[in-house]
Amino acid sequence: MESSSILDSLGVEIIGVMAPVSICMFLVVLLTYSLSVTSDPQIRTAANLIYVENPSDSATVKLEGSLENAIVFVVVVAAVTFVIVLLFYYNFTNFLKHYMRFSAFFVLGTMGGAIFLSIIQHFSIPVDSITCFVLLFNFTVLGTLSVFSEGMPIVVRQCYMVVMGIVVAAWFTKLPEWTTWFILVALALYDLVAVLAPGGPLKLLVELASTRDEELPAMVYEARPTVSRGRNGGGGSSLRVLVGGGGGGGGGVSDSGSVELQAVGNHNANLDYNAVAVMDRDSVDGVVRSPLAGNPRETHSASPAFSEHSRELGSIVNRESVAEEEMSPLVELMGWGDNREEPRGLVEESDDIDRGIKLGLGDFIFYSVLVGRAAMYDLMTVYACYLAIISGLGCTLILLSVYNKALPALPISIMLGVVFYFLTRLLMEPFVVGMTTNLMMF
Amino acid sequence: MTVAAGIGYALLALGPSLSLFVSVISRKPFLILTLLSSTLVWLVSLIVLSGLWRPFLPLKANVVWPYALLVLSSVCFQEALRFLFWKLYMRLEDVLDSFADRISRPRLFLTDKLQIALAGGLGHGVAHAVFFCLSLLTPAFGPATFYVDRCSKVPFFLISAIIALAFVTIHTFSMVIAFEGYAKGNRVDQVIVPVIHLSAGMLTLVNFASEGCMIGVPLLYLVASLTLLHCGKMVWQRLIESRNQSGSTLR
């Protein structure tokens, strides 16, 4: 412990979110690269209800049509979100769960199945239809179960969230070009409003879930560690302390003496508690129940007993329907106390390690859609967009640790991604190609 | 077969950085973040430069001085940016140290600082290789290859991968040299980095002559190995020094 530097554990949770996003984007790019020729160009979804883009149309027609498409799409998304909020408000939680189970099954089975079929065709993999069907069915059932039941290891759940992100994003990359850009920008704006504006549907949803002490009925990726990080608990939750110290200025530093003492004392106790948690997990035979997860909730709602819900807190990810392209694009980090300057704040964070950062599945999807669209132009734009999106995500996470409330993850990333795409395409490409073909570098 | 060739070119340019990434950087999340941000800084610098030069493109194919001017301006800009990066890192280091005090962990070790510098340099190098070599590699996966007139012996993709490897090395280790130079106030190390960068950039101008790549690329590799040598020597000295000073074991 003494010889380990703070560098070892710093930023773990940021990487915990960035890694799956990167994997998702990478696989979508691979998919679009290898399959873009064979897949049929036009699909009908909610995203192009009004206008079917034709490459030969004039720019103004494309502009108007894509704008209409984007508006309709956002309106549909908003409407469905409001319906979900209503259902959740009137306690139709089970209905929501079952419906989302169905839609997960549907997405994995049909859309995923179509993608698998095209992969099989493209690489001419010799597999007969019965085997293929059985494999697909098993895959789908495991996916549906894994995202819902408590008995699954979190790794499986995380994998399936990424897979669903890939499937839906690969589907969306078949949208025509202009419509894609307009929809991305429109969704980023919608996300901003829905999460931050008073009365925004996602804000309502999050508030409702936290006052009612229930899990958010949405498809979210939980960046919970796969193994309880008892060993380096202090560093794991360090992001906020770090940013608090950097951004908040002197407030945290002035009373550092007492902070240190108290924090260390409680910290050791906390380590023991973590160790207990690990044993507990093992003894329930793979059932991932997180005793720590209930803790911050107690401080919030002051409900003394662990209800059924709070027992399931960490383990059930409810979901929205992907079939309707209804996502919950938000990063959420529940349970971080508001007492930043008080000494006990540090301890509470240590408690919260197991909750981790949550990222809506929609963010996965639309990041990947942007990168996949960039992949249709050139590899250079892919790298630029990837870097832009990841840095936008990083900015969002830092803002998250400053503001301590649910934040939209799309706006910064998407805006940066779009800007970098066009800058790369218009400015950088001729420059770099001109340099490199003369073998000039610097 | 062509897929194999494409992957081979990519690994030629980025293989050493990949192994550095796996063995050193990927162990520590903070280093990954450093690498990503430094890659982003380099990308932004490239975009700004291309924005500045966009009105003058395409340059005439048979005059060398506009290219020389371009390389000169780019190197100056990037060296200025490196200094800004260093300033930023200084503030970060203060934050990290005060944070380490607050959770009563030891401050940054010397090796930590060196690793951060390495990650920053690797970010620059990887960005270079990605944008100057990898992003043009797509046609290499297809059923043909491409030769440029001025270097007719070697396929274009191969030669650009080789050059990119040299630049990855230069960028990666000159960042370590620069950070140490700034930290110790060592005038020589501060000056040698822009000199290395500029001379490497200017050496690529040799490729402009017909079959010049036969001479330019070995010279480039000479510069790269000198950088590597200098960096290794300097780091070794620093490690010995700090071991003698503190007497405690270094990780």
Side-chain angles (χ1 to χ4, degrees), chain A residues 268-402:
Chain A
N268 288 338
N270 195 52
L271 286 184
D272 293 339
Y273 194 27
N274 261 346
V276 174
V278 176
M279 281 165 53
D280 197 357
R281 278 185 197 181
D282 289 342
S283 66
V284 236
D285 195 19
V287 177
V288 186
R289 45 187 295 193
S290 47
L292 287 180
N295 259 1
R297 292 315 181 91
E298 279 187 302
T299 63
H300 267 272
S301 60
S303 68
F306 270 34
S307 62
E308 268 305 296
H309 284 305
S310 54
R311 199 178 77 79
E312 301 170 353
L313 262 183
S315 20
I316 288 192
V317 181
N318 295 335
R319 28 178 54 212
E320 292 178 33
S321 90
V322 167
E324 258 76 61
E325 282 83 51
E326 168 52 37
M327 317 305 163
S328 110
L330 62 138
V331 173
E332 198 213 4
L333 187 56
M334 310 277 267
W336 270 4
D338 297 316
N339 41 1
R340 186 197 309 188
E341 59 284 338
E342 285 177 29
R344 291 193 59 85
L346 198 59
V347 183
E348 284 209 358
E349 280 153 25
S350 303
D351 280 348
D352 292 344
I353 291 171
D354 274 4
R355 297 214 43 90
I357 295 172
K358 293 175 177 174
L359 191 65
L361 186 62
D363 303 324
F364 276 77
I365 293 168
F366 290 108
Y367 292 164
S368 310
V369 169
L370 205 163
V371 175
R373 177 39 73 181
M376 289 179 193
Y377 183 69
D378 192 11
L379 269 183
M380 204 181 293
T381 49
V382 174
Y383 301 128
C385 286
Y386 169 75
L387 282 175
I389 287 176
I390 283 292
S391 62
L393 185 60
C395 289
T396 312
L397 290 177
I398 288 171
L399 285 181
L400 183 72
S401 55
V402 174

Side-chain angles (χ1 to χ4, degrees), chain B residues 236-251:
Chain B
W236 181 254
Q237 273 175 359
R238 284 284 285 140
L239 284 179
I240 298 286
E241 260 174 44
S242 75
R243 177 169 297 174
N244 289 342
Q245 270 176 14
S246 65
S248 67
T249 53
L250 282 166
R251 290 177 62 245

Side-chain angles (χ1 to χ4, degrees), chain B residues 24 61 69 74 107 116 134 203 209 225 229 234-235 237 250:
Chain B
V24 180
L69 211 60
S74 310
R107 292 185 163 209
I116 291 177
L134 219 58
L203 277 177
S225 46
L229 213 66
M234 193 198 65
V235 169
Q237 273 175 359
L250 282 166

Side-chain angles (χ1 to χ4, degrees), chain B residues 104-120:
Chain B
S104 63
R105 300 273 284 273
R107 292 185 163 209
L108 289 180
F109 296 106
L110 174 65
T111 43
D112 290 335
K113 293 178 186 173
L114 289 177
Q115 279 179 349
I116 291 177
L118 183 74

Side-chain angles (χ1 to χ4, degrees), chain B residues 14-238:
Chain B
L14 281 172
S17 349
L18 189 69
S19 51
L20 256 184
F21 179 81
V22 171
S23 59
V24 180
I25 309 286
S26 66
R27 301 281 164 80
K28 301 185 178 180
F30 187 77
L31 293 183
I32 304 180
L33 294 179
T34 314
L35 182 125
L36 282 174
S37 44
S38 123
T39 316
L40 187 80
V41 166
W42 206 87
L43 169 65
V44 170
S45 83
L46 195 61
I47 287 181
V48 169
L49 279 172
S50 55
L52 287 179
W53 277 90
R54 187 73 180 85
F56 308 106
L57 292 179
L59 297 173
K60 276 184 201 148
N62 46 7
V63 195
V64 78
W65 65 263
Y67 288 99
L69 211 60
L70 199 154
V71 170
L72 186 69
S73 66
S74 310
V75 171
C76 290
F77 183 74
Q78 289 192 337
E79 290 303 324
L81 209 64
R82 193 200 299 276
F83 189 69
L84 282 183
F85 196 65
W86 159 255
K87 285 284 176 207
L88 205 71
Y89 165 71
M90 281 306 288
R91 290 188 58 186
L92 183 74
E93 195 182 303
D94 286 346
V95 172
L96 283 179
D97 275 342
S98 68
F99 169 66
D101 287 348
R102 210 162 353 141
I103 63 169
S104 63
R105 300 273 284 273
R107 292 185 163 209
L108 289 180
F109 296 106
L110 174 65
T111 43
D112 290 335
K113 293 178 186 173
L114 289 177
Q115 279 179 349
I116 291 177
L118 183 74
L122 194 64
H124 274 43
V126 166
H128 174 96
V130 159
F131 287 104
F132 277 124
C133 168
L134 219 58
S135 56
L136 300 171
L137 220 53
T138 330
F141 289 93
T145 187
F146 175 63
Y147 289 84
V148 284
D149 291 335
R150 294 201 178 91
C151 195
S152 55
K153 299 282 193 296
V154 194
F156 167 71
F157 302 117
L158 183 58
I159 194 80
S160 71
I162 290 174
I163 295 178
L165 175 60
F167 271 99
V168 170
T169 316
I170 289 172
H171 279 303
T172 306
F173 295 104
S174 64
M175 185 70 95
V176 180
I177 297 174
F179 270 34
E180 275 302 305
Y182 291 138
K184 301 277 282 182
N186 189 341
R187 203 42 81 174
V188 179
D189 283 344
Q190 286 174 20
V191 173
I192 204 171
V193 171
V195 170
I196 289 172
H197 194 175
L198 192 63
S199 57
M202 286 302 168
L203 277 177
T204 60
L205 291 179
V206 177
N207 298 334
F208 205 76
S210 185
E211 302 300 324
C213 54
M214 292 301 170
I215 304 160
V217 173
L219 283 179
L220 191 62
Y221 268 81
L222 188 69
V223 173
S225 46
L226 282 182
T227 315
L228 199 58
L229 213 66
H230 183 77
C231 177
K233 215 172 70 182
M234 193 198 65
V235 169
W236 181 254
Q237 273 175 359
R238 284 284 285 140

Side-chain angles (χ1 to χ4, degrees), chain A residues 142-435:
Chain A
L142 180 65
T144 314
L145 287 181
S146 76
V147 192
F148 283 104
S149 69
E150 308 149 54
M152 290 287 174
I154 183 135
V155 186
V156 178
R157 191 158 57 231
Q158 287 172 340
C159 285
Y160 266 101
M161 290 308 284
V162 172
V163 167
M164 289 181 65
I166 291 168
V167 166
V168 180
W171 207 254
F172 264 103
T173 51
K174 291 178 187 170
L175 285 175
E177 185 171 9
W178 286 59
T179 309
T180 311
W181 291 118
F182 275 95
I183 281 182
L184 283 175
V185 173
L187 265 174
L189 293 177
Y190 162 76
D191 194 18
L192 197 63
V193 174
V195 179
L196 291 182
L202 292 176
K203 188 182 169 76
L204 286 180
L205 204 64
V206 170
E207 281 173 356
L208 210 58
S210 70
T211 50
R212 220 193 266 171
D213 224 18
E214 281 179 33
E215 190 65 20
L216 199 70
M219 278 203 230
V220 286
Y221 177 92
E222 282 182 278
R224 262 192 305 149
T226 47
V227 191
S228 183
R229 256 181 291 137
R231 209 51 56 79
N232 51 7
S237 62
S238 55
L239 172 68
R240 187 165 148 259
V241 186
L242 180 64
V243 176
V253 186
S254 57
D255 53 356
S256 58
S258 62
V259 174
E260 264 181 39
L261 271 182
Q262 200 155 4
V264 172
N266 285 326
H267 187 64
N268 288 338
N270 195 52
L271 286 184
D272 293 339
Y273 194 27
N274 261 346
V276 174
V278 176
M279 281 165 53
D280 197 357
R281 278 185 197 181
D282 289 342
S283 66
V284 236
D285 195 19
V287 177
V288 186
R289 45 187 295 193
S290 47
L292 287 180
N295 259 1
R297 292 315 181 91
E298 279 187 302
T299 63
H300 267 272
S301 60
S303 68
F306 270 34
S307 62
E308 268 305 296
H309 284 305
S310 54
R311 199 178 77 79
E312 301 170 353
L313 262 183
S315 20
I316 288 192
V317 181
N318 295 335
R319 28 178 54 212
E320 292 178 33
S321 90
V322 167
E324 258 76 61
E325 282 83 51
E326 168 52 37
M327 317 305 163
S328 110
L330 62 138
V331 173
E332 198 213 4
L333 187 56
M334 310 277 267
W336 270 4
D338 297 316
N339 41 1
R340 186 197 309 188
E341 59 284 338
E342 285 177 29
R344 291 193 59 85
L346 198 59
V347 183
E348 284 209 358
E349 280 153 25
S350 303
D351 280 348
D352 292 344
I353 291 171
D354 274 4
R355 297 214 43 90
I357 295 172
K358 293 175 177 174
L359 191 65
L361 186 62
D363 303 324
F364 276 77
I365 293 168
F366 290 108
Y367 292 164
S368 310
V369 169
L370 205 163
V371 175
R373 177 39 73 181
M376 289 179 193
Y377 183 69
D378 192 11
L379 269 183
M380 204 181 293
T381 49
V382 174
Y383 301 128
C385 286
Y386 169 75
L387 282 175
I389 287 176
I390 283 292
S391 62
L393 185 60
C395 289
T396 312
L397 290 177
I398 288 171
L399 285 181
L400 183 72
S401 55
V402 174
Y403 287 112
N404 264 331
K405 60 176 187 176
L407 285 180
L410 280 182
I412 303 178
S413 293
I414 294 289
M415 291 307 166
L416 277 180
V418 171
V419 166
F420 271 64
Y421 175 83
F422 287 106
L423 280 181
T424 307
R425 187 168 166 172
L426 298 177
L427 292 181
M428 210 169 91
E429 175 120 50
F431 180 78
V432 168
V433 171
M435 293 280 286

